């Protein structure tokens, strides 16, 4: 799979936002936080992740290219807040009061746990399964575990084991 190429201007916009928000944190805490590394390797429907121990932010290059400035304004501060909360408070609830406070009071950004970007372009293939009360879609990873006999999945509503609908997938 080819990795999308992020234009230099877009990478610079990401870094500009990161540095502006980091400066707000430095001023607020009077602490010299190091600049986290930015890696464009996040896959799937997640816009980004913060890697606490390695002080790294991973961004989804496809969603960044598709959403550009709204992505930068929302996702970069969101992930930076996770890193800053870890540095200041240790391990706490991922989107708990410390994170919300960091987003709103320090980084001056609305605290939103999830993005609302269109994800059709990064959505993975799913497979239809049925139980007693309805139909479900399993990811390729879960589907392969069922095929290999490593896992079985049950409906959360009726508790019945999910059965693959092979005919609908051919």
């Amino acid at each position: 799979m080819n990795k999308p190429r992020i234009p230099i201007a877009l990478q610079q916009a990401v870094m500009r936002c990161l540095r502006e928000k980091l400066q707000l944190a430095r001023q607020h805490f009077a602490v010299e936080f190091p600049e986290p590394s930015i890696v464009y390797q996040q896959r799937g429907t997640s816009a980004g992740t913060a890697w606490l121990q390695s002080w790294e932010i991973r961004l989804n290059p496809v969603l960044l290219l598709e959403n550009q400035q709204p992505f930068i304004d929302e996702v970069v501060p969101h992930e930076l807040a996770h890193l800053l909360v870890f540095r200041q408070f240790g391990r706490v609830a991922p989107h708990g009061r410390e994170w919300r406070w960091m987003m709103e009071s320090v980084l001056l950004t609305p605290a939103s746990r999830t993005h609302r970007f269109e994800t059709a372009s990064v959505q993975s293939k799913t497979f239809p399964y049925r139980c007693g009360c309805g139909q479900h879609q399993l990811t390729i990873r879960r589907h392969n575990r069922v095929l290999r006999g490593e896992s079985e999945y049950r409906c959360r509503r009726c508790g019945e084991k999910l059965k693959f609908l092979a005919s609908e997938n051919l």
Side-chain angles (χ1 to χ4, degrees):
M1 185 165 106
N2 287 342
K3 247 176 54 175
R5 191 184 148 287
I6 307 296
I8 193 72
L10 201 49
Q11 291 181 43
Q12 289 171 334
V14 166
M15 293 309 294
R16 194 168 30 258
C17 177
L18 175 73
R19 289 176 179 139
E20 286 170 6
K21 298 301 181 179
L22 195 55
Q23 187 57 33
L24 290 173
R26 288 171 175 155
Q27 290 169 349
H28 186 274
F29 292 107
V31 171
E32 192 58 35
F33 296 106
E35 188 174 285
S37 57
I38 300 286
V39 179
Y40 299 96
Q41 291 181 344
Q42 184 66 45
R43 292 172 39 190
T45 58
S46 293
T49 52
W51 290 74
L52 306 177
Q53 259 71 20
S54 56
W55 199 250
E56 176 179 285
I57 294 173
R58 292 190 185 172
L59 299 176
N60 187 314
V62 176
L63 292 178
L64 171 59
L65 285 167
E66 290 175 354
N67 298 283
Q68 300 201 10
Q69 199 59 51
F71 181 101
I72 292 168
D73 294 341
E74 188 178 325
V75 178
V76 172
H78 178 116
E79 301 308 335
L80 177 61
H82 285 300
L83 296 177
L84 295 170
V85 165
F86 179 68
R87 274 287 162 95
Q88 292 302 108
F89 305 106
R91 286 211 179 268
V92 296
H95 298 105
R97 69 176 187 268
E98 296 89 351
W99 178 83
R100 284 192 308 278
W101 174 80
M102 186 71 70
M103 285 288 287
E104 293 169 351
S105 299
V106 178
L107 302 182
L108 308 177
T109 304
S112 177
R113 293 182 62 221
T114 58
H115 67 77
R116 291 185 179 85
F117 306 129
E118 178 57 52
T119 58
S121 64
V122 290
Q123 198 82 40
S124 61
K125 183 172 167 55
T126 59
F127 296 83
Y129 279 73
R130 179 164 287 293
C131 68
C133 69
Q135 188 168 325
H136 305 270
Q137 296 294 320
L138 292 187
T139 63
I140 191 164
R141 179 174 288 174
R142 289 184 176 193
H143 173 67
N144 285 336
R145 286 180 182 153
V146 170
L147 292 180
R148 291 190 303 259
E150 296 171 357
S151 296
E152 68 176 38
Y153 296 94
R154 296 188 171 274
C155 175
R156 289 183 180 171
R157 270 181 274 141
C158 69
E160 188 176 304
K161 181 180 171 183
L162 300 182
K163 295 177 186 71
F164 178 48
L165 298 174
S167 62
E168 291 184 26
N169 212 34
L170 297 174

